[in-house]
Amino acid sequence: MSTKPDPVPQFSTEAEERVYWEQHDSADHLDWSKAAKVRLPNLKPSSTSISLRLPNSLLEQIKVAAGKRDVPYQSLIKIWLAEKISTSGTKR
């Protein structure tokens, strides 16, 4: 890459800009020597609410297990699901 990044052209329409970026790489327009690390402490991963029906006895057992670990029961369910997915890998 050259020492000076290419200037970004002026676009008269959004369609013109879209075509340009489909054919060009933004790296040609960046000066990475001026880049700075950024921390985004309040950034939260996106999530989706779901409805899950559980037998009352199972939910109570989960709540007890969560209480023993001092975590909210919904967080414990997410932890368990993530652990199960990571340990199951590609087994089928």
Side-chain angles (χ1 to χ4, degrees), residues 29 31 43 75:
H29 304 283
D31 182 356
L43 187 63
S75 296

Side-chain angles (χ1 to χ4, degrees), residues 2-92:
S2 64
T3 57
K4 187 174 181 185
D6 297 336
V8 176
Q10 294 294 316
F11 305 103
S12 55
T13 65
E14 187 176 319
E16 183 182 326
E17 183 175 2
R18 185 178 302 112
V19 169
Y20 179 85
W21 290 117
E22 286 173 353
Q23 298 171 357
H24 294 83
D25 190 332
S26 62
D28 297 334
H29 304 283
L30 299 172
D31 182 356
W32 287 108
S33 68
K34 295 180 181 176
K37 289 186 177 184
V38 177
R39 295 195 71 219
L40 304 170
N42 297 325
L43 187 63
K44 296 180 182 175
S46 59
S47 62
T48 302
S49 291
I50 63 167
S51 177
L52 179 64
R53 297 191 183 280
L54 299 173
N56 289 338
S57 60
L58 176 58
L59 182 56
E60 288 306 315
Q61 291 173 347
I62 293 170
K63 286 181 178 182
V64 168
K68 289 178 180 177
R69 292 166 176 79
D70 197 30
V71 298
Y73 76 94
Q74 291 175 332
S75 296
L76 183 59
I77 292 171
K78 287 186 272 187
I79 291 167
W80 284 345
L81 289 172
E83 287 174 353
K84 181 64 176 176
I85 293 296
S86 67
T87 59
S88 66
T90 58
K91 297 177 193 173
R92 291 197 183 229

